Amino acid sequence: MPEVSVLMGTFNESNRDYVTMAIDSILNQTFTDFEFIICDDGSEAAFFQWLDHFCRKDSRIRLLHNQKNQGLAAVLNQGLRCALGRYIARMDADDISRPERLAKQIVFLQEHEEFVLAGCNVSLIDDQSIWGERKMTECPNKKDFLVTSPFVHPSVMVRKEVMEQIGGYCESAKKRRVEDYDFFMRLYADGFQGYNLQETLLYYREDQSSYKKRKYRYRLNECYVRCQGFRRMGIQNGNLKYVIKPLVAGMIPPKLIQYQRQKRFGNDTCRSLDAKVWKE
């Protein structure tokens, strides 16, 4: 029985090179006692046929397929129900894990029972370069959730028993695109705590297309999740400005948001990104 189950969802991924790099970065981990559950969420036949063929390269991959698109939360819950590992690691289809990521996260969780979740710092990438670095709060408290989620979702490893205890991800349409933020806040509301390893173990894709995906209707979802989550954690009073923050941010043009984030997280010099970046 594997120690770790890695969960990844796919849906009509437009860039197969990204998917290839994402999957290979998990298969090339120094820690090898894992299963890799990939759930395709109702993709068109052409993409799924390619994915099915590609996934046959390694017996640790378990490929699931939905006939209809159900959304990321449903896909992750489906993977969670099938998972055999004691720990659940997240992965997205366009990011890249460093080879030592799983090894370092599982050692940390085994040695620190007071934490149920381990995230990490991330390098920010586009299709050509590593353009920035995001250093996450080491030991987030409840108030760290006011500005934004203190964890990068595809960077985390979580104890499976705790995920099951809080009911996994919420599949409500009101929480679509912010199911991770909701999940982390529910963990904290129930008295659990997470930690971010102060090492860069994931290349997180953040480019112009990423900002265009953040449609205004999902900003409304974020307001709802913030209001509900802050109330559960007991930090809502006096923090209305953080509840409505997504509505204000949603009026800013994507190019301006991209500029602001590059100014905040950008490197002085960009490093080139190639297909072997995970083997650096």
Side-chain angles (χ1 to χ4, degrees):
M1 188 173 296
E3 189 75 356
V4 176
S5 297
V6 182
L7 304 186
M8 187 174 86
T10 61
F11 176 64
N12 288 333
E13 306 298 331
S14 59
N15 192 316
R16 295 180 185 180
D17 287 340
Y18 291 174
V19 182
T20 298
M21 287 190 285
I23 293 175
D24 282 348
S25 74
I26 294 297
L27 299 180
N28 290 324
Q29 291 290 299
T30 58
F31 178 86
T32 59
D33 186 17
F34 66 84
E35 61 175 352
F36 193 179
I37 301 174
I38 300 175
C39 184
D40 183 75
D41 197 20
S43 292
E44 295 175 357
F47 175 77
F48 180 72
Q49 288 171 2
W50 171 84
L51 181 65
D52 182 40
H53 178 76
F54 183 81
C55 287
R56 294 178 187 179
K57 67 190 291 184
D58 196 298
S59 62
R60 292 172 295 180
I61 298 177
R62 297 170 60 190
L63 180 61
L64 310 178
H65 180 58
N66 295 332
Q67 293 300 319
K68 292 178 61 178
N69 182 263
Q70 299 178 26
L72 181 60
V75 162
L76 296 180
N77 285 338
Q78 183 178 354
L80 180 62
R81 288 190 294 270
C82 296
L84 301 175
R86 295 174 56 213
Y87 302 91
I88 302 295
R90 277 285 291 114
M91 185 63 189
D92 278 348
D94 57 354
D95 298 325
I96 303 168
S97 288
R98 290 191 63 89
E100 67 275 20
R101 176 197 160 189
L102 297 184
K104 293 194 172 185
Q105 288 180 317
I106 195 169
V107 167
F108 176 84
L109 288 175
Q110 289 172 340
E111 294 180 349
H112 297 85
E113 293 186 1
E114 67 272 28
F115 296 106
V116 302
L117 176 155
C120 63
N121 294 335
V122 299
S123 291
L124 302 173
I125 63 174
D126 54 26
D127 62 345
Q128 296 179 327
S129 65
I130 303 168
W131 63 262
E133 303 289 333
R134 188 173 172 193
K135 295 184 178 181
M136 309 303 294
T137 301
E138 186 171 3
C139 189
N141 59 46
K142 291 180 179 179
K143 289 189 175 180
D144 288 314
F145 283 87
L146 290 171
V147 176
T148 189
S149 172
F151 300 102
V152 175
H153 192 203
S155 82
V156 302
M157 180 182 288
V158 192
R159 299 184 194 276
K160 181 186 177 185
E161 61 180 355
V162 174
M163 294 187 72
E164 293 175 330
Q165 183 176 327
I166 70 166
Y169 293 88
C170 181
E171 298 180 25
S172 168
K174 293 181 179 180
K175 298 181 179 181
R176 193 156 191 172
R177 295 280 184 180
V178 282
E179 52 274 302
D180 56 333
Y181 200 4
D182 171 74
F183 172 76
F184 297 138
M185 285 196 282
R186 285 190 290 117
L187 275 178
Y188 270 66
D190 281 2
F192 298 111
Q193 191 168 15
Y195 184 91
N196 282 309
L197 277 67
Q198 295 300 287
E199 299 181 65
T200 301
L201 301 176
L202 182 82
Y203 297 95
Y204 183 63
R205 195 169 300 278
E206 194 171 290
D207 52 23
Q208 192 167 358
S209 63
S210 303
Y211 305 114
K212 290 180 179 178
K213 291 179 183 177
R214 300 174 184 177
K215 300 184 184 301
Y216 201 78
R217 66 178 180 273
Y218 298 129
R219 301 286 184 176
L220 294 172
N221 289 1
E222 185 176 349
C223 289
Y224 174 75
V225 164
R226 282 172 175 258
C227 184
Q228 190 179 65
F230 295 169
R231 185 173 63 251
R232 282 177 175 170
M233 292 192 293
I235 59 172
Q236 186 180 46
N237 290 344
N239 289 311
L240 178 61
K241 64 181 180 180
Y242 294 109
V243 173
I244 64 173
K245 176 177 176 282
L247 299 182
V248 178
M251 290 186 265
I252 302 174
K255 286 188 177 180
L256 182 55
I257 293 177
Q258 184 178 19
Y259 171 78
Q260 290 174 335
R261 291 186 68 79
Q262 287 178 333
K263 187 175 180 180
R264 181 179 178 186
F265 300 117
N267 292 325
D268 292 334
T269 56
C270 291
R271 294 157 55 200
S272 63
L273 179 70
D274 60 44
K276 302 300 181 184
V277 69
W278 63 87
K279 294 184 178 180
E280 287 182 350

